[in-house]
C-alpha cells in the first residue's frame, strides 16, 4: 500500500512504521489515524514480518491529536473520534501477536504519549519527552493511557503526570519505568533494529507470550477505552476545552474556569 502521512519499510522481518508529519510534530489527522491502522494491518497480515518498530520523523515522536483541526467549527464529538479513529488502533496493536516496539525519538504528547504506552516495549532517545498533555487543553487521558500508565509507573506517579501535564525527560522516564532503555539520539534507530531483530529471530512462542499477557489485560482494556471515550465526550463539550485549544493556537497559557 502507499501512504502519505506515514512511511512504511521492511527490514528483514521487521516493519518500520514512521509517523511522518514533521511540520506538525507528527500530530494525528484523520488521514494519519487511518493510515496508521492500515499499516498495522499490513504488517499483521505479512507472514514475513514478526516485529514492528513505531517511530516519528523529525524532532518528535507524536504530538497527539492535531489541535489545529480542533478549532471551534471542526470540534465534533470527541467520544466518536476516539471510538472511530483512535481506539481501533490501540486494540489492533494489543490484539496482534506481533511485537511492537516504540522507538521514541522526541516529544510524545497526549495521544502520542499514550500510543507509545500501548506498545509492547519502549526505548527512548536522550531527546525524548513524555507529556500527558491532555489536562493542558482541558481534556482527560485517552488511547488507553488511564489503563497503561498506572500499570507502568504506579498510582501516585500516574495521578501526578495526568493532573499536572508536565514533561518527563528520557532519564526520568527510565527511572520511573516508562521506558526500558535510553540511547543517544543518533543510535536510536540501530538500537530499535537490534532489539526487534533479535525478537524477530526468536521462537514461535514470542507471539504466544504476547497473547498470554494480553489475555490478562484485553477485556479490561476494551472497557476502559470505551469509558475514556465517554469521559472525553464530556470534557470535549466543556468551555475549558474550548479555551485550552484556543490558548494553544494563540501560544498563550489557558485560563480555565472549571466549567
Ligand atoms: O479527537 C480528538 O480530538 C480527541 C483526542 C485527543 C487526543 C489528544 O492527543 S489531546 C492532546 C493534544 N496534544 C497536545 O495537547 C500537545 C500540543 N503540543 C504541545 O504542547 C507542544 O507543541 C509540544 C510540547 C508537543 C512541543 O513543544 P515545542 O515547544 O517543542 O514545539 P512547538 O513550537 O509547540 O510546536 C512546533 C510546531 O508544531 C508548532 O507549529 P508552528 O507554530 O511552527 O506553525 C505547533 O503549533 C505544532 N504543533 C505541536 N503540537 C501540535 C501542533 N500542531 C497541531 N496539533 C498539535 N497537537
Amino acid at each position: 500500500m502507499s501512504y502519505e502521512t506515514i512511511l512504511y519499510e521492511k527490514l528483514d522481518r521487521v516493519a518500520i512504521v514512521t509517523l511522518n508529519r514533521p511540520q506538525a510534530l507528527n500530530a494525528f489527522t484523520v488521514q494519519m489515524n487511518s493510515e496508521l491502522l492500515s499499516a498495522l494491518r499490513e504488517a499483521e497480515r505479512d507472514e514475513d514480518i514478526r516485529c514492528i518498530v513505531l517511530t516519528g520523523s523529525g524532532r518528535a515522536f507524536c504530538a497527539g491529536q492535531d489541535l489545529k483541526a480542533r478549532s471551534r467549527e471542526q470540534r465534533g464529538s470527541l467520544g466518536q473520534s476516539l471510538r472511530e479513529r483512535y481506539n481501533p488502533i490501540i486494540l489492533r496493536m494489543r490484539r496482534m501477536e506481533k511485537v511492537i516496539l516504540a522507538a521514541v525519538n522526541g516529544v510524545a504528547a497526549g495521544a502520542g504519549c499514550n500510543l507509545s504506552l500501548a506498545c509492547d516495549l519502549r526505548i527512548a532517545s536522550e531527546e525524548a519527552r513524555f507529556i500527558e498533555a491532555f489536562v493542558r487543553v482541558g481534556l482527560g487521558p485517552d488511547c488507553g493511557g488511564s489503563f497503561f500508565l498506572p500499570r507502568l509507573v504506579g498510582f501516585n506517579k500516574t495521578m501526578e503526570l495526568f493532573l499536572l501535564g508536565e514533561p518527563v525527560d528520557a532519564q526520568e522516564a527510565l527511572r520511573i519505568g516508562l521506558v526500558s532503555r535510553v540511547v543517544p539520539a543518533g543510535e536510536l534507530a540501530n538500537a530499535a533494529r537490534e532489539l526487534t531483530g533479535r525478537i524477530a529471530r526468536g521462537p514461535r512462542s514470542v507471539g504466544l507470550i504476547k497473547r498470554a499477557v494480553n489475555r490478562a489485560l484485553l477485556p479490561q482494556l476494551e472497557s476502559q477505552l470505551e469509558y475514556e471515550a465517554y469521559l472525553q465526550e464530556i470534557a470535549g463539550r466543556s468551555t475549558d476545552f474550548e479555551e485550552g485549544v484556543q490558548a494553544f493556537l494563540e501560544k498563550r497559557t489557558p485560563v480555565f474556569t472549571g466549567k
Side-chain angles (χ1 to χ4, degrees):
M1 280 184 72
S2 73
Y3 304 104
E4 289 177 1
T5 60
I6 63 165
L7 305 172
Y8 185 94
E9 54 180 316
K10 286 167 64 168
L11 270 180
D12 299 324
R13 307 202 69 188
V14 178
I16 299 168
V17 178
T18 306
L19 306 174
N20 190 32
R21 299 186 65 236
Q23 72 287 358
L25 304 188
N26 305 318
F28 274 107
T29 56
V30 173
Q31 183 181 10
M32 200 172 89
N33 283 102
S34 160
E35 292 190 349
L36 176 57
L37 184 57
S38 299
L40 291 170
R41 287 191 177 129
E42 181 174 346
E44 188 181 13
R45 277 195 302 264
D46 188 335
E47 289 181 2
D48 292 341
I49 295 297
R50 296 195 70 201
C51 273
I52 300 168
V53 173
L54 187 56
T55 192
S57 68
R59 70 178 177 93
F61 178 73
C62 172
Q65 165 64 33
D66 189 315
L67 293 171
K68 291 172 184 163
R70 277 284 170 270
S71 65
R72 196 172 306 177
E73 304 74 37
Q74 302 161 297
R75 195 177 322 160
S77 158
L78 297 200
Q80 187 182 1
S81 168
L82 290 172
R83 289 182 187 104
E84 290 178 0
R85 294 170 48 200
Y86 287 94
N87 293 355
I89 292 173
I90 303 301
L91 287 170
R92 193 76 266 134
M93 289 167 72
R94 294 310 321 152
R95 280 183 181 139
M96 75 168 79
E97 273 193 23
K98 297 178 183 186
V99 170
I100 308 178
L101 174 136
V104 184
N105 53 304
V107 66
C113 181
N114 292 343
L115 181 74
S116 78
L117 304 190
C119 293
D120 298 294
L121 297 161
R122 275 156 299 288
I123 64 172
S125 103
E126 282 167 349
E127 288 167 14
R129 280 179 290 158
F130 295 81
I131 315 177
E132 293 290 358
F134 304 91
V135 72
R136 297 181 179 195
V137 289
L139 295 180
D142 56 32
C143 293
S146 61
F147 181 88
F148 296 113
L149 194 61
R151 285 166 173 78
L152 286 163
V153 304
F155 177 65
N156 192 48
K157 200 70 192 172
T158 294
M159 293 306 285
E160 184 185 312
L161 296 181
F162 283 146
L163 291 173
L164 300 182
E166 286 175 351
V168 173
D169 68 23
Q171 288 304 335
E172 176 69 355
L174 182 63
R175 193 187 69 77
I176 65 177
L178 212 47
V179 300
S180 50
R181 293 176 194 197
V182 175
V183 297
E187 292 171 25
L188 183 68
N190 279 344
R193 279 178 210 150
E194 193 276 321
L195 203 50
T196 48
R198 239 194 302 158
I199 295 166
R201 290 189 296 276
R204 164 76 182 99
S205 62
V206 161
L208 304 181
I209 291 168
K210 179 163 175 178
R211 273 172 67 179
V213 175
N214 269 347
R215 178 115 196 285
L217 300 180
L218 261 175
Q220 298 168 63
L221 173 63
E222 281 191 75
S223 73
Q224 189 66 14
L225 286 169
E226 174 48 37
Y227 196 60
E228 287 180 344
Y230 164 75
L231 296 177
Q232 208 70 300
E233 179 69 27
I234 299 171
R237 291 170 190 270
S238 68
T239 47
D240 282 336
F241 175 55
E242 198 168 307
E243 163 64 5
V245 173
Q246 203 53 38
F248 174 77
L249 298 177
E250 293 169 10
K251 298 183 187 285
R252 61 171 173 81
T253 305
V255 182
F256 294 130
T257 60
K259 298 198 174 89

